[in-house]
Amino acid sequence: MTTSNSPEQHLWKLIHDIRFGMLTTQSESGDLRSHPLTTQNRKQDQGSVLWFFISAKSETLRDALARPRVNLAYASPDDDRYVSITGRARLVNDAQKKQELWSTLSQAWFPGGVTDPDLALLAVDITQAEYWDVKSSKMVQLIKMAQAAVTGKQPTHLGEHAHVHPG
C-alpha cells in the first residue's frame, strides 16, 4: 500500500484513523464469528499487512490459525467510509515488531507489556479489498435517494467504489 495516489494508498487513507476493525474468522463447525481488534499499523508504508495484538489463548486466534482466510471490516458511518478486506492470517513471533507496534493503550489489554505471555502478534496479509467512499454530502445523498425512489432507478455518483488487489 505505498504507491502515491494508488488504490492501495486510498485504502490506507480510508482505514488509518478507524482504530477498530471487525475480524471475521471461521470456527471449526463452520460458523462465522467477528471480533473487534485494534489495528496496530502506525503508517502506510508497512506494506499490504495489517497488524493486531491478540490474546494467545483466544478462540479468535485459534480459529484464524486453523482457517487463515479471514475478513476485516472497517466502517466510519459519520464519514460514509466502508472497507472490507480479505486476507490470510498468520502468527508472527517477533519481539522487535511487537516493540515497534506497542503503545500505552495496549497495556490495558496486556498488562505484562511486550513480554506478556498472553500477547500474540497477528498479521493479516491483504489479498484483496473493496471500499466505498461516499463523497456527497448527506443532503445530496438524500436528494439522489429521493429521486431514485420516484424514478425507480438506483442513485448514481454518490462516491467512489473500488476493488484493490495489493502486490
Side-chain angles (χ1 to χ4, degrees):
M1 295 192 297
T2 59
T3 306
S4 179
N5 298 319
S6 69
E8 292 88 353
Q9 184 177 26
H10 189 68
L11 176 68
W12 175 255
K13 286 180 183 179
L14 290 173
I15 68 170
H16 84 278
D17 63 346
I18 303 173
R19 292 293 299 154
F20 303 99
M22 292 296 291
L23 175 70
T24 302
T25 59
Q26 187 176 29
S27 71
E28 189 175 315
S29 66
D31 293 333
L32 298 176
R33 296 186 214 164
S34 295
H35 183 84
L37 292 177
T38 304
T39 306
Q40 299 299 326
N41 294 56
R42 297 284 182 257
K43 54 191 175 208
Q44 170 184 334
D45 65 355
Q46 291 178 322
S48 299
V49 180
L50 294 172
W51 298 96
F52 304 91
F53 290 136
I54 189 169
S55 169
K57 298 178 270 187
S58 70
E59 280 184 290
T60 302
L61 179 60
R62 188 170 48 252
D63 288 345
L65 297 178
R67 285 158 297 285
R69 291 183 58 181
V70 298
N71 181 268
L72 282 152
Y74 292 88
S76 180
D78 290 342
D79 300 322
D80 281 327
R81 291 182 289 150
Y82 306 91
V83 178
S84 175
I85 296 173
T86 302
R88 297 197 62 81
R90 60 188 166 90
L91 183 63
V92 176
N93 292 313
D94 183 337
Q96 184 176 350
K97 189 67 175 178
K98 286 180 183 179
Q99 186 65 51
E100 174 189 329
L101 297 172
W102 188 257
S103 72
T104 53
L105 295 176
S106 302
Q107 193 82 27
W109 299 106
F110 303 100
V114 294
T115 60
D116 190 314
D118 191 38
L119 176 66
L121 182 57
L122 181 70
V124 175
D125 298 302
I126 300 171
T127 56
Q128 67 175 345
E130 188 171 8
Y131 64 81
W132 299 261
D133 185 14
V134 180
K135 308 253 188 242
S136 302
S137 70
K138 299 284 185 199
M139 184 57 72
V140 170
Q141 291 177 51
L142 288 172
I143 291 169
K144 287 185 177 189
M145 286 189 273
Q147 288 172 337
V150 170
T151 64
K153 296 178 183 177
Q154 288 187 346
T156 58
H157 306 294
L158 289 177
E160 185 177 348
H161 172 234
H163 291 268
V164 179
H165 300 275

